[in-house]
Amino acid sequence: MPRAGLTRSLVLDAAADLADQVGFEAVTPSAVARAVGIRTPSLYAHVDGAEALRDGLTVRALDEMADAASRNVAGRSGGSALRALADAYRDYARVHPGRYAATRRRLAPDHDGVEAGRRHTELLASVLRGYGVPEQDHVHAVRLIGSTVHGFIALEATGSFDHSDPEADVSWTRVVDVLHGALETWPPT
């Protein structure tokens, strides 16, 4: 019997908090059940197993990160929009490392939550409209931005920049400036 007042949303809240505390890979039904004070079998009244729990956390994190990025990008264009988007992703990863890790997980193509991932593509497309990147090249530009931003975030999260100068913030500024320059001078097809 489910615990009174416990909902799927509260279970996902607990899973998200747990991911940030101990890492996304450590989020299991039994760990989440302990966090909300129920037995593991009772958790299945709210989520349909480990995969559904991870999927729910992935969708939740994608939506949260898209909301943060949308707020940052609103009213901006060009380099200002690019920096706002990149900074929103980096800030989210720093504040919510486990949730950010969940955003890097692929959902099944027919999963209802795939729309959460598409929001990020739409955000990137809106940033690209501030540049002269032809529509047919958007997929390439989205991949360039995503690879650069998420690659930097992943390396920073593992401490790869901790033992060299300058500090990562200096490189981050330079990397986003170079991305801006690449987008401004995008070669014609």
Side-chain angles (χ1 to χ4, degrees), residues 166-180:
E167 64 182 40
D169 287 343
V170 175
S171 293
W172 176 254
T173 298
R174 184 75 176 121
V175 164
V176 176
D177 287 346
V178 169
L179 265 179
H180 168 66

Side-chain angles (χ1 to χ4, degrees), residues 82 85-87 89-90 100 124 143-155 172 175-176 179:
L82 176 65
L85 179 78
D87 286 347
Y89 286 168
R90 186 175 182 223
Y100 178 79
L124 283 164
R143 289 174 180 168
L144 172 66
I145 295 167
S147 300
T148 304
V149 169
H150 295 298
F152 189 101
I153 291 168
L155 289 169
W172 176 254
V175 164
V176 176
L179 265 179

Side-chain angles (χ1 to χ4, degrees), residues 109-145:
D110 61 343
H111 190 281
D112 292 342
V114 167
E115 198 56 42
R118 286 192 187 111
R119 289 181 62 200
H120 293 273
T121 302
E122 290 166 7
L123 274 166
L124 283 164
S126 72
V127 169
L128 290 175
R129 283 191 284 280
Y131 292 98
V133 179
E135 186 81 26
Q136 69 268 18
D137 284 352
H138 276 202
V139 69
H140 307 301
V142 165
R143 289 174 180 168
L144 172 66
I145 295 167

